[in-house]
Structure formats: C-alpha cells, structure tokens
Amino acid sequence: MDYILDLGAVTRNMDQLWQGLGVTLLLTLAANAIGIVAGFGLALLVLNRLAIIRIPAMLFVEFFRCTPALIQIVWFFYCVPMLFNVFLDPITMGILALGLNLTAFNAEAYRAAIQGVPREHLDAGIALGLSPAQRILNIVLPQALRNSVPVLLTNGIGIFQQSALVAIVGVADLMYQGKTLATETYRPIETFTVVALIYLAISFPVSQFVGWLERRRGYAVR
C-alpha cells in the first residue's frame, strides 16, 4: 500500500471543521431543548385516558421510533415545503426534524418515569388540595425528570451523532464540512478519522457521566 498519511492536510484546515462542529452543537442543543420539553408533554398525552388524545400521541411516537431518522430528515426537507408551502432555512428544518425525533424517544423515557411515581405522592397532592396542573408541575415533573435523566442524556448523545445525517441535505454541519474537506484535499482517511475523533471526544465523556449517574442511582436504591 503506497498511501502515506498526511494529517497536516486536515490540521491546516481545522477552522472548517470547527465551523461545522458549531452547527452540529447548535442542532444538538436546540433539538434537545425541544425533546426535553415536548417529550414530557407528549408523555402526558400518551398516558391520557381519552382515546381521542392518547391514540394520535401514540401514533406520533411510533412513527418517529419506527422509521429511520434519515427518512424523517429527507421528508422534512423535501416534502414539507411541497405539501404545506412552508419554506424554512436548512438549519431550522434540521432542528425540527431532529427535535421531533428526540421528542418521541424522550416521551417513552418520561412515560416510564411517570408511571414509576408512587401513587401515595399523588394522593398526598390531592389531600393538600392541589389542582391536576399543580400535581403535574410539583409532584410528577420533578420525579419524572430526575428518574429519566440517564435516558435523556443517552438520547441526547444519540441525537448528537444522528445530526450527521443532515449533511445529506446540505446542512453545513461537522459531517458535511468533513466530507467537503476530504474532497478538497483528497485525504478521506485523515479527514474522517479526525471527524470521528471529534464526535468521540464529545460523546465519550457524556456517556461516562451517564454510567456514573446510573451507578449512583443503583447504590442509592440499595
């Protein structure tokens, strides 16, 4: 094999990758903000006793959980403008696609956490005269959020990695910039290795933190 590695071709153009990383982090943070907030609301709808409310919410969850994220992203970018005459900038479309995907997965995490809230706590809220909204905000939400944090963080890492899929529709994220740089320098091995290391450098500490949280919760239960 005559191929000679030249990391300098990448390190000399790191500004391009940092710009892409900035877009990736923006997509990730915005999608997580949507997923954390909307996911809880969606979980409440899934647990609603009224079928007219519960069934559409369940269908929403199953659609986003059972179809590839790539298909969802492509659908948002090409079908939404055609069907609804809605034209948004690529980053906003990417945030919406990733955010709705994450909302569905977070809703399942919240649902399990909500069902784990002791009935006695809700009964105590009723005895104190709290309204349903007050019971949700003061009793259900704090416990559900605390119990689902490890899963929410894991889902957040997943959406950070899946954000690379927006490169296929021309969003200038880290993956897109890496692909562009690899084409310009004819150095795909070095470029995609560096890109992979950047993803790893961000994902690995978060995954270790999730593991630490789970171990801590395990000790607390004991």
Side-chain angles (χ1 to χ4, degrees):
M1 181 177 178
D2 297 329
Y3 190 89
I4 300 176
L5 293 176
D6 180 17
L7 287 174
V10 180
T11 57
R12 287 190 297 269
N13 295 279
M14 285 301 293
D15 287 346
Q16 187 173 341
L17 296 183
W18 295 140
Q19 291 175 5
L21 178 60
V23 174
T24 293
L25 293 177
L26 173 61
L27 292 169
T28 303
L29 294 175
N32 271 277
I34 293 172
I36 290 172
V37 175
F40 182 75
L42 183 59
L44 294 177
L45 297 180
V46 170
L47 294 171
N48 196 287
R49 295 180 180 179
L50 297 176
I52 194 173
I53 296 176
R54 183 179 67 255
I55 292 176
M58 292 175 61
L59 291 175
F60 178 94
V61 170
E62 293 306 319
F63 172 80
F64 280 95
R65 292 180 68 230
C66 298
T67 57
L70 179 59
I71 295 297
Q72 297 165 20
I73 291 171
V74 171
W75 195 91
F76 263 87
F77 271 81
Y78 295 111
C79 297
V80 168
M82 295 172 63
L83 294 175
F84 305 104
N85 200 32
V86 174
F87 298 90
L88 301 173
D89 64 274
I91 292 180
T92 301
M93 293 292 282
I95 289 172
L96 289 176
L98 295 171
L100 292 177
N101 177 278
L102 187 58
T103 294
F105 283 89
N106 283 354
E108 283 298 286
Y110 279 125
R111 180 187 59 78
I114 290 171
Q115 291 177 325
V117 175
R119 180 65 196 180
E120 294 80 3
H121 293 186
L122 297 174
D123 292 339
I126 295 173
L128 291 171
L130 298 180
S131 67
Q134 289 174 324
R135 293 198 297 272
I136 290 174
L137 291 176
N138 297 296
I139 298 175
V140 177
L141 177 58
Q143 295 188 61
L145 184 59
R146 182 175 64 251
N147 293 334
S148 58
V149 162
V151 180
L152 296 179
L153 288 174
T154 300
N155 290 346
I157 296 173
I159 214 67
F160 167 67
Q161 296 166 351
Q162 289 190 43
S163 67
L165 296 174
V166 301
I168 198 172
V169 289
V171 178
D173 71 326
L174 177 58
M175 184 63 186
Y176 181 90
Q177 295 289 9
K179 182 175 64 174
T180 301
L181 182 58
T183 302
E184 293 173 347
T185 61
Y186 300 99
R187 292 288 171 177
I189 295 177
E190 295 90 332
T191 303
F192 289 118
T193 298
V194 171
V195 169
L197 290 175
I198 293 174
Y199 278 107
L200 177 65
I202 295 175
S203 299
F204 183 73
V206 179
S207 67
Q208 293 302 299
F209 179 66
V210 171
W212 176 80
L213 278 180
E214 291 177 335
R215 290 192 298 272
R216 185 178 179 184
R217 288 183 60 200
Y219 290 134
V221 171
R222 294 178 187 176

